[in-house]
Amino acid sequence: MKPWVHLGSAPVPGSPDELQLWQRDTEFSIRVRGTPYDLMNSRQHGSEEALADLALAGLEAAAPRVLIGGLGMGFTLAAALRTLPGAAQVMVAELVPEVVTWNHGPLGEVAGHPLRDPRVTVTVADVGEVMRAHPAGFDAILLDVDNGPEGMTRAANDALYGPRGLANARAALRPGGVLAVWSVEHVPRFTDALTRAGFTPQVHHPRARHGKGGKHTVWTGRKS
């Protein structure tokens, strides 16, 4: 078996953590320095694609505006672009600039180079700040940040999933808009938090790989 090769490192703003990009043959992994497991892996992206599919199913706007929080390896973005019409606009908010660079470089091919799509704009910023700057600005908001409501890489991400963060998300959605949240694990209290924040939540458990592998959690909640 070929060894893993370290391709790059990136500090996480506002955190002592560091992201590392690794490659083994055609497989890529993004990890947090000092941890033995993958934060993201290019062989396991079924649930990331499901995040987009579930969030955008039934979206009726002729020219929808979509916000994706967390670029990752680009699989959620690529899935969204396959679903959305040509008139759509997709904004990606990514906190770590090196992740954007990696997606323009060695990671681009694994998801089909979604950043080249003219419907896409990328802003290097905290997605919470982007939501606050765009009241009633989006038909759908997709969050895949810090492994979900019980994150591991950045304590400030709690602000996304607590009452204030969910209120910001609701305010950034147009009437009837959808918030979708990806999580590595099921957090039952978060379903209740979505209800209290004015969403009508549904809980889904897509597999990490298409049709197999462990299950992750995706919440979808329509603004009520």
Side-chain angles (χ1 to χ4, degrees):
M1 182 177 292
K2 293 184 178 181
W4 285 100
V5 177
H6 179 231
L7 299 183
S9 299
V12 179
S15 167
D17 294 319
E18 177 184 87
L19 298 184
Q20 296 184 332
L21 177 64
W22 294 81
Q23 180 178 8
R24 181 177 62 188
D25 198 14
T26 60
E27 180 182 4
F28 291 88
S29 169
I30 294 179
R31 307 170 189 169
V32 177
R33 183 185 60 181
T35 62
Y37 44 84
D38 299 329
L39 189 62
M40 289 163 264
N41 186 287
S42 61
R43 295 178 61 189
Q44 301 185 39
H45 50 83
S47 62
E48 284 85 354
E49 292 174 337
L51 172 65
D53 294 339
L54 291 165
L56 302 178
L59 204 65
E60 296 179 353
R65 296 192 71 224
V66 176
L67 172 64
I68 297 177
L71 175 58
M73 292 185 172
F75 291 111
T76 297
L77 173 60
L81 293 171
R82 288 193 293 270
T83 297
L84 290 167
Q89 299 177 52
V90 183
M91 178 182 293
V92 179
E94 171 55 53
L95 184 68
V96 182
E98 288 85 354
V99 171
V100 180
T101 300
W102 296 341
N103 274 267
H104 280 296
L107 284 180
E109 187 173 354
V110 299
H113 297 285
L115 292 184
R116 296 179 180 176
D117 193 295
R119 293 171 290 175
V120 177
T121 59
V122 179
T123 179
V124 177
D126 187 303
V127 67
E129 296 176 0
V130 174
M131 290 190 294
R132 288 190 290 273
H134 293 82
F138 302 102
D139 297 285
I141 296 173
L142 288 60
L143 299 179
D144 182 0
V145 177
D146 195 22
N147 268 344
E150 293 193 348
M152 53 173 284
T153 61
R154 187 169 179 259
N157 283 338
D158 288 344
L160 277 180
Y161 303 117
R164 182 176 298 178
L166 293 177
N168 287 336
R170 191 174 188 278
L173 285 168
R174 294 170 175 170
V178 174
L179 172 67
V181 176
W182 185 95
S183 177
V184 71
E185 60 186 1
H186 183 45
V187 184
R189 62 177 176 79
F190 188 65
T191 307
D192 297 331
L194 284 167
T195 300
R196 290 193 298 271
F199 293 95
T200 305
Q202 292 183 300
V203 185
H204 316 267
H205 298 288
R207 291 194 178 274
R209 301 174 72 175
H210 293 290
K212 58 184 178 179
K215 291 184 178 180
H216 295 148
T217 298
V218 171
W219 288 269
T220 56
R222 192 168 295 277
K223 179 177 177 178
S224 57

